[in-house]
Amino acid sequence: PIKEGQYKVRDLSLAEYGRKEIELAEVEMPGLMACRDEMGARKPLAGARVMGSLHMTIQTAVLIETLYELGADLRWCSCNIFSTQDHAAAAVVAKGTSSVFAWKGENLEEYWWCTDRALTWEDGDGPDIIVDDGGDATLLIHEGYKAEIAFEKDGVVPDPSSTDNAEYFQVLTIIKNGLKTNPKRWHKMVERLVGVSEETTTGVHRLIERARDGTLLFPAINVNDCVTKSKFDNLYGCKHSLPDGIMRATDVMLAGKTVMICGYGDVGKGSAASMKAAGARVIISEIDPICALQACMEGFQVTTLDEVVETLDIVVTTTGNKDIVMAKDMARMKNNAIVGNIGHFDNEIDMAGLEKFPGIVRQNIKPQVDRFVFPDGHGVIVLAEGRLLNLGCATGHPSFVMSCSFTNQTLAQVELWENRNTGKYENNVYVLPKVLDEKVARLHLGKLGAKLTKLTPEQAEYIGMDESKGMKPDSYRY
Ligand code: NAI
């Protein structure tokens, strides 16, 4: 059992309900269950301390318990203040498979406290490997490490009041407080760390920037760019969970409405497809001519937000970029237009500008649904305070697609741990080999009743393919 003080969840009495849903999810997650069957006896993660910063949902509970079956010693937190499913967190703690610090509706101070606690084992040391989603655990460690160098060199102590970024304020506060008592904490953590596997596009961008600048402190596996992750989770996952979030939050009729999807990458493609399927008229905004052309070829109008903002019933940001829908845009929208984001961070929508807009009044409708009323009387409905609405207003992606993502996560964790002394991975960003990607897909075909055609040796020779190296060259785009 997890000791008192080594977890913090909303309500442990939700454990039984959580367990029932975890058991249903297991049936829908064949890739993870196959990992347990294949590797459970061998315990390839034995001796590894695994820290996770990834939405504490039912699906994540199945990932956690797979890593546990493989031998890991786990601590977990969510990577978003609204995404925890409290019954999932309770079930994991009750079973004793992982320490969990997560509940739905954390404030920012609590959020970073949870991250800090998940990174700190009972003996004060840190993890061996990290499962990150969006890179917040990785960020805290890198910032702490940087601050320790400045402190040792010039005695500089970070000043939280120097930033107007509320998240960064919390990060600096944690680091500042730790410097006094444990001035080498983050250095010790980095020394121990074998690597991180990163779940999402935004976190991978952060890692690639660090690798490019030469500041990445440990190896990283980019799970997002496994084909069986981004071409499934980002696409079909959002196709499922975007309308789910909008409908649970507002119950609005989607058919006939005008919806703008900002960004037509993997998440944007899934989002636009679901809105079209629901009978909405879909408009796309893009900065990339290739993605814009793809949207045109799917029959979508492509234009700027500025051109059509007054006509929109719903706008959803999917860009992973900042400043996509600004307060001045929302001031021009129809009464009760719905504004939401499904990209990783909340800076796609100018929440700060909206809250400061002269004369604005915020009406809370229910948790994660607010109507902001402008002085002229018209309002916009903002979902999940601009944070990812599919996890804030609904339950995120369904189990089956998360099984693809999390099977890649499991393989990445085993890969990092098994190569901890081989020198295979340097402080850089890596992707898993294509054969593993194909394996993940294979593990999910049976559940859907698919039968794969067998390539004959003659055919393989005719198209010049060596099956052991994968069915496609790395340049293939799917
Ligand atoms: P992507 O890179 O495939 O797509 C983003 C698209 O937005 C690109 O095509 C880009 O050209 C476009 N874009 C960038 N700036 C823009 C602007 N100012 N206006 C219009 N378009 C712009 O990335 P992907 O995989 O689609 O991920 C997008 C975001 O969603 C990331 O933050 C990612 O971490 C997050 N994500 C969220 C999930 C969820 O469940 N809510 C699931 C998977 C990813």
Side-chain angles (χ1 to χ4, degrees), residues 87-389:
H87 61 319
V92 167
V93 170
K95 191 161 179 191
T97 38
S98 174
S99 279
V100 177
F101 298 88
W103 57 94
K104 190 175 181 76
E106 297 158 0
N107 63 34
L108 285 182
E109 188 183 350
E110 291 165 340
Y111 172 82
W112 284 101
W113 177 85
C114 288
T115 308
D116 190 16
R117 293 288 284 126
L119 277 169
T120 318
W121 262 254
E122 254 192 286
D123 60 7
D125 278 357
D128 295 301
I129 17 182
I130 293 175
V131 180
D132 217 352
D133 183 343
D136 277 353
T138 302
L139 174 118
L140 181 58
I141 297 167
H142 279 76
E143 290 298 328
Y145 189 91
K146 202 169 70 184
E148 283 175 357
I149 292 175
F151 181 64
E152 187 174 83
K153 201 162 150 257
D154 303 313
V156 185
V157 177
D159 175 13
S161 68
S162 66
T163 175
D164 55 7
N165 178 321
E167 300 256 1
Y168 205 58
F169 177 89
Q170 300 299 339
V171 170
L172 290 183
T173 304
I174 288 175
I175 293 168
K176 178 183 167 211
N177 294 343
L179 269 182
K180 295 170 202 153
T181 49
N182 196 354
K184 283 283 169 207
R185 174 184 178 199
W186 303 102
H187 274 70
K188 271 189 262 163
M189 195 177 287
V190 169
E191 209 170 292
R192 179 174 183 135
L193 263 168
V194 168
V196 59
S197 56
E198 169 56 51
E199 172 80 1
T200 197
T201 317
T202 285
V204 168
H205 284 171
R206 283 176 161 188
L207 288 168
I208 288 172
E209 273 172 26
R210 288 189 204 284
R212 192 192 55 209
D213 300 346
T215 56
L216 184 62
L217 295 169
F218 36 81
I221 293 186
N222 163 2
V223 167
N224 182 68
D225 287 300
C226 294
V227 179
T228 48
K229 199 283 181 180
S230 50
K231 297 292 172 188
F232 290 82
D233 166 324
N234 304 26
L235 181 73
Y236 303 110
C238 291
K239 187 175 173 189
H240 172 105
S241 60
L242 172 70
D244 189 13
I246 296 173
M247 290 191 282
R248 288 201 212 192
T250 65
D251 204 18
V252 78
M253 180 82 178
L254 293 170
K257 294 294 186 338
T258 303
V259 180
M260 176 165 248
I261 304 291
C262 302
Y264 198 67
D266 291 318
V267 170
K269 287 180 175 74
S271 301
S274 68
M275 293 296 108
K276 183 179 182 176
R281 201 166 74 79
V282 180
I283 307 176
I284 304 293
S285 73
E286 250 298 342
I287 54 164
D288 177 338
I290 297 177
C291 296
L293 187 59
Q294 286 181 309
C296 290
M297 302 294 267
E298 284 297 324
F300 297 125
Q301 181 188 351
V302 177
T303 188
T304 63
L305 177 65
D306 190 50
E307 281 286 310
V308 291
V309 68
E310 284 95 353
T311 69
L312 302 176
D313 299 295
I314 302 174
V315 58
V316 179
T317 54
T318 77
T319 69
N321 204 343
K322 64 173 186 172
D323 300 342
I324 305 302
V325 180
M326 304 306 288
K328 65 175 175 20
D329 301 316
M330 293 183 263
R332 290 167 59 199
M333 285 179 179
K334 282 188 195 172
N335 184 36
N336 289 356
I338 296 166
V339 181
N341 164 48
I342 193 168
H344 191 79
F345 284 120
D346 58 341
N347 54 356
E348 301 210 20
I349 297 171
D350 177 23
M351 292 304 297
L354 186 62
E355 275 156 19
K356 281 189 294 209
F357 197 89
I360 201 97
V361 176
R362 176 180 177 161
Q363 296 176 333
N364 180 254
I365 310 291
K366 62 181 182 183
Q368 285 85 56
V369 183
D370 294 284
R371 181 167 181 263
F372 286 84
V373 187
F374 289 85
D376 68 358
H378 93 286
V380 293
I381 298 170
V382 177
L383 306 185
E385 296 179 12
R387 292 167 195 274
L388 15 88
L389 76 93

